[in-house]
Amino acid sequence: MSMLPSDVLASLGSLLQGLQSPDNVIRTKAEESLNIDWVDARPNVLLMGLIEQIHQGADVATRGFAAVLFRKIASRSAKETDDEVSKELFMTLPEPEQKAICSRLLECLAQEGTANVRSKIADSVAEVARQYILEERIWSELLEALFTMSHSAVPEHRETSFRIFATTPDIIQKQHEDMVLRVFQEGFKDDSIPVRLAAMEAFSSFFTSLNKKAQKKYFKLVGDILSILPPVKNADDPEYLTRALVALVELAEIAPNMFKDHFNDLVTFSIGVVQDKDLEDQARQNGLELMCTFAESNAAMCRKDPSYTTQMVTQCLSLMTDVGVDDDDAAEWNAEEDLETDESDLNHVVGEQCMDRLANRLGGATLLQPTFQWLPQMMSSTAWRDRHAALMAISAISEGCHDMMVGELDKVLDLVIPALQDSHPRVRWAGCNALGQMSTDFANTMQENYHQRVLPAIIPVLNSKEHRVQAHAAASLVNFCEEAEKEVLEPYLDQLLGNLLGLLQSSKRFVQEQALSTIATVADSAENSFEKYYSTLMPLLFNVLRSVQEKEMRLLKAKAMECATLIGLAVGKEQMAQDAVELVKVLYDIQESITEEDDPQANYILHCWGRMCRVLGKDFLPYLQGVVPPLLKQAAVKADVQVMDDEEEASQLKGDDEWDILQIKGKFISVKTAALDDKQTALDLITIYAQHLEESFDPYVDQIMDEIALSSLTFFFHDAVRCSAAKLIPSLLSARIKAQGPEAPATQQLWTKVIEKTLESLGNEPSTETLAELYQCFYESVEAMGKSCLTTEHMQTFINTSEQNLGSYLERVRKRLEEAQEKEEGEEEDEDMLFAIEDDQTLLSDMNKAFHTIMKQHGAAFLPHWSRLMAYYDQFITSTDPTQRQWALCIFDDLLEFCGPESFEYQSHILEPLVNGVKDQAPANRQAAAYGAGVAAQKGGPAWSDFSAGILPSLFDATRHPQARLEDHVYATDNACAAIAKILHFNSGKVTNVQEFVTAWVDTLPITHDDEAAPYAYSFLAQLIEQQHPAVTSRAPVVLDAVCQALAAETLTGNTANRVTTATKALIQSTGVDAGEVLRMLPPESQHVVSSYF
């Protein structure tokens, strides 16, 4: 019996027909009626009426449509009459009506006989259940109904119950575990395969929603879950196996150890799936994905399995040979001009990606042996697909196996380089790919040690008859050249550029475009060595830039303008001469011709203007009026945000790279990120103009600061926009200061806006990474404004926000420690957690720099405010984390350096940390503590004199550390040496046996790495020489060697170097030391530097 009058039902039936009408006019009218007459006027009647339509609808289409519409309407945002807070529409109904609708909805679910409609009703049930959970209310009848359905004699009912569990796992979270275990066990053993699969998917969803501790209670179900796999594989529907493997992937991601006792069996099954060519590709790829997921979540378990690595490598390589089907001679491949075709679902690409992931997680020690067991024989195979797969495997594993492969590059190149002359074009293409990838993964080593093998081998490939091979050879040269020093490239430039110029004449536009990109990279790396080719190349580029503005030519012209401006940067404005002005005019013409949003020239030209500004410097000023307006327009763009209730509607945008989709409380929030990426680019380019034009950019400062930069600090739709704004603001402020001075009224007005907005943002920023950028914005701005720029209120607010941020940091650390304790044996560190730790380290480092800057500019006036944070730094200094100890030591150094004698008020917090720090196992901490000890003597006054004298023996011990001169430790050694010099210079009166210490100090030299420590130490050395101190007059050769090493390392420069060398010459003359003998012991390049002083 219906709960609504028949006329209401009839009216609603007509509405549903109108909404489904193919006639746009009828459908639009029905949509208006839906919103005005039903949703706004009587939502309770609408929802109940839709339930009635689901229950009584005469045809399947009406019932299904009513179910879909019910879910959409129920989840719409609405306001209750007595409350301004938005809720979803269903939850705004009176509670009795909610209950009536829920009861009727469950009836519909139980009675519906058509699978498609029942599925849509289940989605509506899940939506209402989600709203109950969100409101922390209980829909008690639902759980009972679902448990009843899970025991129904009808398999489809049992399947439906698990489908709803999968969508809203929270409804069973609080049930007793024995009951939940029983329900899932029964589902896993069901006679119906679809029910087993639904139970498997529901369990995956439920398990994922639990915390680590609760998850362990359900490990016992693994055997039942895995027993589903064989019958699923043998079932008629290939989709079944795919669904089962996807559910397992979700479990393997979060709890790999639950499979530990069954892992070898699972490996055997999954490998069997991958190698079964009778199965569909998707199922085989999912089997590989499952195994790869275990490598990423628990590499140790994979390494221990006797067959895992060998089998995975074998199957990956096998899949990688599944390439070029029905295109044996690569004719179709070479004719393809759309090089951006998505091939991510093809077997050979999936195999490559898996090899890459295995290498990154298992490492070279595990992966190289089974991989190179295959590669040599594959490279000698007569089948081109084998050779192609071997080369692509080298490309895939070189990053993850870097440490093991870097010493074997000769042997790897022995395999790769001959492939550049292979008879098959795709093998030559793969050879180029391998060399390009290796040039990136083994950057510097490849360029410095193997250029004589790589470049002569790959440059001729630019002349291949196949266009795609030509383009890829040019692309691989980008990888090589962008990491090469100009000295490496110079001998090859004639041949390289001659061949690239030839490619500019190609009939294929993609070859021309790639050639331009490669020339641009070569110019960027070759720098002024590119000058001899300028006169040949620039006219060609002007020809391209002045060509007819056809749509097909846009990208080529964009590449040409990129190339021209990078060449300009390489050769400088003197060589460009009048061409610079001409190029600017051409760029103007192109900018004016851009009318369509998708024109690639629009983005390229913005970067080109930035480069021309760097080339021309202040000479670029006349062109600003044409460059800045479009840039400001792009920088001021607002966020394009859409809120959608329907998942189907949202899914249409999910495949679009220009949009990001977020799901929040049942809503789908879509943000058009493509426009926001352009906004960020614009902000970065404005920063370039402000930095290079300095005071000349002042006329634009107020507009940009007021309309764009400051508001972008709170642009929460895009983290990168806020980061770029944080970089821009200090540059704008500096431009104003250089133009008008820090005390000018306009500067002070600007500073007031900047400091207030920056302090506000420091207290509201949700992203750790962006917060670090905001602290950098703060300290760079304070540094620019100079002494006493912060008021007491500013300092108070800054400390309030910093205390809040330090507290949040410690809470994140606490949670990470808890998560680490819950990890099972062998579980890998979560990559997101590693990134989070890195972000926190950057944040604390930038916070410290902010404290440093305030102390530098305000001295002891900041101490009453900063002292509120001392408890945090007391905690850091006793931490087992060496990075936290370093933060504390560095801030104590700042207290000593910038607050001088007044820092002694905090000596109870500082003394012991410095003493312990000089002995710290972490070299960075020894360095910081040593620096602090030296500053205490230099700036601390009499109050710190006893401490300074007392720490001398520990500083000498630091210079004698067993690894004192190794790269990681040498800065600590240099700082200990300089600290001893400061103590002996500023505080000798408190040092007993001072002459013995001075004599011993000479042996702590030289200082060859820290150019900030060197001036203090060598000034003290010059003083000793000038005083003819026995410690130096008796050891003149040692002194000369120490001076020569510092000069050669260029830590000793400028006035200090002149003073020291003058004194040293006098020492040599008075002691008769043979300076030539010492000089001859230096490397040739160092001899040249040192001899200029002697």
Side-chain angles (χ1 to χ4, degrees), residues 423 663 757:
S423 59
Q663 188 172 1
K757 188 65 176 181

Side-chain angles (χ1 to χ4, degrees), residues 355 658 829 931:
M355 285 294 285
E658 293 194 350
E829 283 287 353
Y931 181 82

Side-chain angles (χ1 to χ4, degrees), residues 556-827:
L556 184 66
K557 292 179 73 171
K559 297 278 187 181
M561 68 176 81
E562 175 186 55
C563 187
T565 51
L566 280 169
I567 289 174
L569 274 179
V571 303
K573 70 177 180 180
E574 289 76 17
Q575 169 109 23
M576 287 196 80
Q578 187 58 33
D579 281 347
V581 175
E582 195 60 31
L583 181 55
V584 168
K585 290 179 181 177
V586 172
L587 292 177
Y588 263 133
D589 291 340
I590 294 173
Q591 181 172 278
E592 291 299 311
S593 71
I594 297 171
T595 57
E596 297 178 17
E597 284 188 10
D598 64 347
D599 191 334
Q601 296 174 110
N603 189 44
Y604 274 79
I605 203 165
L606 292 177
H607 291 281
C608 290
W609 287 130
R611 292 189 201 102
M612 291 309 296
C613 176
R614 290 161 61 191
V615 171
L616 296 173
K618 299 295 174 63
D619 292 341
F620 188 73
L621 282 173
Y623 310 111
L624 270 186
Q625 59 185 356
V627 172
V628 170
L631 194 60
L632 298 189
K633 181 180 178 181
Q634 185 168 311
V637 71
K638 306 296 182 185
D640 185 352
V641 181
Q642 297 182 22
V643 180
M644 294 170 282
D645 299 312
D646 184 28
E647 185 173 3
E648 292 179 14
E649 186 182 353
S651 66
Q652 294 175 4
L653 291 177
K654 280 187 178 178
D656 190 335
D657 292 338
E658 293 194 350
W659 292 83
D660 272 355
I661 310 294
L662 308 172
Q663 188 172 1
I664 303 172
K665 295 183 179 180
K667 304 291 183 184
F668 295 90
I669 313 297
S670 58
V671 182
K672 191 171 185 180
T673 53
L676 304 188
D677 291 339
D678 292 341
K679 180 184 180 79
Q680 179 212 342
T681 297
L683 291 170
D684 291 341
L685 290 169
I686 295 170
T687 303
I688 290 175
Y689 293 132
Q691 290 174 343
H692 285 268
L693 299 177
E694 298 180 315
E695 70 276 2
S696 302
F697 198 68
D698 185 55
Y700 298 95
V701 165
D702 285 320
Q703 179 189 358
I704 295 171
M705 194 75 88
D706 292 342
E707 297 178 9
I708 297 170
L710 293 176
S711 60
S712 294
L713 286 181
T714 49
F715 192 85
F716 293 112
F717 294 105
H718 201 277
D719 291 355
V721 166
R722 301 198 302 284
C723 289
S724 293
K727 291 182 173 74
L728 170 60
I729 287 168
S731 300
L732 293 173
L733 186 62
S734 294
R736 170 56 51 82
I737 292 168
K738 288 177 180 176
Q740 303 189 35
E743 302 301 327
T747 306
Q748 289 297 315
Q749 290 172 9
L750 189 70
W751 171 240
T752 299
K753 296 174 187 176
V754 167
I755 190 61
E756 289 178 358
K757 188 65 176 181
T758 305
L759 289 172
E760 173 195 332
S761 300
L762 287 172
N764 298 323
E765 176 53 53
S767 161
T768 303
E769 182 180 3
T770 309
L771 185 58
E773 295 284 355
L774 288 172
Y775 271 101
Q776 185 173 341
C777 171
F778 171 85
Y779 70 69
E780 287 181 355
S781 298
V782 171
E783 184 76 34
M785 285 299 294
K787 299 291 183 184
S788 305
C789 61
L790 296 174
T791 65
T792 299
E793 290 74 19
H794 291 154
M795 292 189 214
Q796 187 73 29
T797 303
F798 176 77
I799 291 298
N800 289 342
T801 58
S802 295
E803 189 169 19
Q804 167 192 317
N805 291 328
L806 285 170
S808 298
Y809 160 74
L810 289 174
E811 178 61 19
R812 291 194 295 273
V813 171
R814 184 190 65 77
K815 287 182 178 178
R816 286 199 290 264
L817 289 173
E818 286 181 359
E819 289 177 18
Q821 290 169 357
E822 290 178 355
K823 279 191 178 297
E824 297 286 332
E825 179 186 355
E827 274 193 80

